[in-house]
Amino acid sequence: MRRPEKAVAGQIIAGRWRLERTLGAGGVGAVFAATPLEGGPMVAIKTLLPDAAGDDDTVRRFQREARTAGAVGRDGVVAVHEFGMDPVAGPFMVMELLEGEPLSSRLHRAAPTLQESVTWMAQILDTLSAVHERGIVHRDLKPGNVFLVPPPFDDRVTPLAATERVKILDFGLSHVPSTSGQTKLTLPGEVLGTPRYMSPEQALGDPIDARSDLYSVGILLYACLLGQPPYHDVPVTRVLKAVIDGPPTSLRTLRPGLPEALYDVLDRALARDRDQRFTSAAEMRAALLASLAPPVARPPPALHAVKSSGFPVVLVALALVVVGLGLVTCVAAGAASVWLRARATASSPR
């Protein structure tokens, strides 16, 4: 097989799509906006760079990314329509074309509000619930893999007051359940992911589970609320050690004034010991949304004490009856006195 060439705008892929413009590029591949030659809406096509396309493990990860995203089948995951092999460009993936921006661009452009930050994370956790139910761990949740899509014009008011819908991208590093005969792409002790957003067990190269993704969501929320992730000022060569030694400095110190319940959610999500974290994405989502809920009003202590026992209730009820009778008696006596004075005045000689 000939060595794949770098895909460029204007190129025809598999005789069916024309690459129009580059949407983004990284160390492994590039994404293009593309037009179907047979008509229809534009799509996004992801290709591998020549060096990556010549590496068997990278190609297998690329294929797995397509299969995994397609298997989840959730609105919160970018839709993958097709995977194929072009004779010139090599492996490619056809995806839905998203409008909007990655969270990484949003964080550089403007600081999100507290409501926006919580709403985005709640959407991510909702999607992760479906992902984790299939035994999949994303393993590379970071701002560049979270995409913010503006809602349709007639759908701007949602139950969570969201201004954008969130899509999770890039399942290329995801951990999926092994099946018989499937080649393992991660060796024991191998570290994959983005250091500042990975969990301590991931940084150690230990086996991971869904709670590793929950840690990463906690880091995403931390970055939204502070404007930068933990260890942003730590040299890259020392980030893994800082993550392993964690947890990061609490936002109680770095950003005071947030709801106390929100600090609790962050502290639990970012616990170094995974057994101290939330047990599921659904549990973390519920706690996160509850952290912004207004406090429930409690009854006054005296009233609460009265309701705690049947016997005091009877006594209080009797006391209220007695007081009520006394008030009625006083009112009646006062009325009678006024009436008598009025009669005396009327009958006195003028």
Side-chain angles (χ1 to χ4, degrees):
M1 178 180 175
R2 60 177 290 183
R3 175 183 169 85
E5 298 178 9
K6 182 179 179 180
V8 294
Q11 184 173 342
I12 303 300
I13 298 293
R16 298 169 58 190
W17 298 275
R18 181 177 61 248
L19 303 183
E20 301 293 353
R21 66 183 187 279
T22 304
L23 299 175
V28 175
V31 181
F32 298 84
T35 302
L37 299 181
E38 297 178 357
M42 293 186 68
V43 296
I45 291 185
K46 185 175 182 179
T47 64
L48 293 177
L49 297 177
D51 287 344
D55 181 75
D56 291 341
D57 282 350
T58 302
V59 173
R60 281 195 287 267
R61 290 187 190 282
F62 195 55
Q63 292 174 321
R64 187 174 64 182
E65 176 184 356
R67 288 196 304 267
T68 303
V72 174
R74 292 276 297 193
D75 184 59
V77 174
V78 62
V80 175
H81 304 311
E82 191 170 336
F83 178 88
M85 189 73 67
D86 180 79
V88 177
F92 69 91
M93 185 190 312
V94 183
M95 307 177 293
E96 65 175 319
L97 180 62
L98 299 177
E99 294 184 5
E101 63 181 342
L103 178 58
S104 53
S105 296
R106 179 61 178 273
L107 292 177
H108 283 298
R109 182 170 58 81
T113 65
L114 174 59
Q115 181 67 48
E116 286 174 330
S117 301
V118 170
T119 297
W120 296 339
M121 297 307 114
Q123 291 186 57
I124 291 173
L125 290 165
D126 185 50
T127 299
L128 285 178
S129 290
V131 171
H132 294 162
E133 284 176 3
R134 290 162 174 79
I136 301 167
V137 181
H138 188 281
R139 200 158 54 174
D140 196 24
L141 291 169
K142 59 184 178 182
N145 285 339
V146 173
F147 202 89
L148 306 176
V149 181
F153 179 76
D154 60 351
D155 191 34
R156 292 189 179 276
V157 179
T158 69
L160 293 178
T163 55
E164 290 96 355
R165 291 180 296 117
V166 176
K167 297 268 191 178
I168 298 177
L169 312 178
D170 199 344
F171 282 78
L173 296 183
S174 62
H175 173 78
V176 298
S178 298
T179 58
S180 178
Q182 186 179 39
T183 302
K184 287 192 174 184
L185 299 181
T186 304
L187 300 175
E190 186 177 11
V191 177
L192 297 174
T194 304
R196 288 189 174 89
Y197 290 87
M198 67 173 56
S199 65
E201 60 270 20
Q202 190 173 348
L204 284 167
D206 291 342
I208 62 169
D209 56 29
R211 292 170 293 180
S212 183
D213 278 349
L214 303 187
Y215 181 96
S216 298
V217 175
I219 296 293
L220 285 171
L221 179 57
Y222 190 109
C224 285
L225 296 174
L226 191 62
Q228 51 201 4
Y231 320 122
H232 64 92
D233 55 351
V234 176
V236 175
T237 53
R238 299 181 182 177
V239 171
L240 287 180
K241 184 178 186 306
V243 170
I244 293 169
D245 292 342
T249 304
S250 173
L251 284 189
R252 284 184 173 87
T253 301
L254 300 177
R255 188 180 169 182
L258 296 174
E260 186 64 26
L262 184 58
Y263 292 130
D264 292 340
V265 170
L266 271 170
D267 289 348
R268 186 173 175 187
L270 300 180
R272 186 180 184 281
D273 181 357
R274 73 179 93 182
D275 290 336
Q276 301 301 317
R277 298 178 207 151
F278 294 97
T279 58
S280 69
E283 182 189 17
M284 182 173 172
R285 181 180 183 273
L288 182 61
L289 294 177
S291 71
L292 293 190
V296 179
R298 294 185 178 181
L303 181 59
H304 180 72
V306 166
K307 290 184 178 180
S308 64
S309 171
F311 181 65
V313 169
V314 175
L315 294 180
V316 172
L318 290 174
L320 290 175
V321 170
V322 172
V323 171
L325 290 175
L327 289 174
V328 170
T329 302
C330 291
V331 170
S337 175
V338 171
W339 181 78
L340 290 173
R341 284 199 299 271
R343 286 203 57 181
T345 302
S347 61
S348 62
R350 297 179 181 269

